[in-house]
């Protein structure tokens, strides 16, 4: 009930991403694949929430930070400090 099964990696693209505290991070624009290991490596967010990162800074979120994927993506961690272009 209320749970959907992801049939392929394209189902992740377009999902909203939230921190453990419920703060909107952005939308999963792409899934980063490690071809050599044939696994999803991370999520690319082209336009992240400017409250969390400097404006116009894209971010990559490691899959190990993902707690769950369903109607949205919930992270199990996110940096406490604001991400700037100099720290990416």
């Amino acid at each position: 009930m209320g749970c959907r099964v992801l049939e392929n990696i394209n189902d992740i693209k377009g999902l909203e991403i939230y921190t453990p505290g419920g703060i909107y991070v952005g939308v999963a624009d792409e899934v980063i694949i490690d071809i050599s290991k044939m696994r999803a490596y991370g999520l690319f967010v082209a336009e992240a929430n400017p409250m969390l990162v400097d404006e116009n800074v894209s971010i990559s979120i490691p899959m190990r930070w993902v707690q769950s994927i369903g109607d949205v993506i919930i992270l199990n961690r996110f940096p406490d400090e604001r991400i700037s272009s100099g720290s990416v």
Side-chain angles (χ1 to χ4, degrees):
M1 181 175 192
C3 180
R4 68 183 182 140
V5 177
L6 297 171
E7 294 182 3
N8 65 54
I9 209 149
N10 285 326
D11 292 341
I12 296 173
K13 291 169 62 173
L15 293 180
E16 294 180 343
I17 303 170
Y18 292 89
T19 68
I23 299 170
Y24 175 76
V25 175
V27 172
D29 293 302
E30 294 293 336
V31 178
I32 303 165
I33 305 293
D34 181 341
I35 298 295
S36 66
K37 295 181 182 175
M38 295 300 292
R39 67 178 182 94
Y41 177 78
L43 303 172
F44 177 75
V45 179
E47 295 181 25
N49 182 344
M51 290 175 44
L52 300 175
V53 303
D54 284 349
E55 195 168 343
N56 299 320
V57 172
S58 301
I59 60 172
S60 173
I61 299 171
M63 288 304 285
R64 69 180 181 274
W65 290 7
V66 174
Q67 176 176 319
S68 63
I69 301 173
D71 292 333
V72 297
I73 299 169
I74 305 294
L75 303 178
N76 59 26
R77 70 178 72 168
F78 194 81
D80 290 336
E81 294 183 25
R82 182 181 178 88
I83 299 172
S84 66
S85 58
S87 64
V88 174

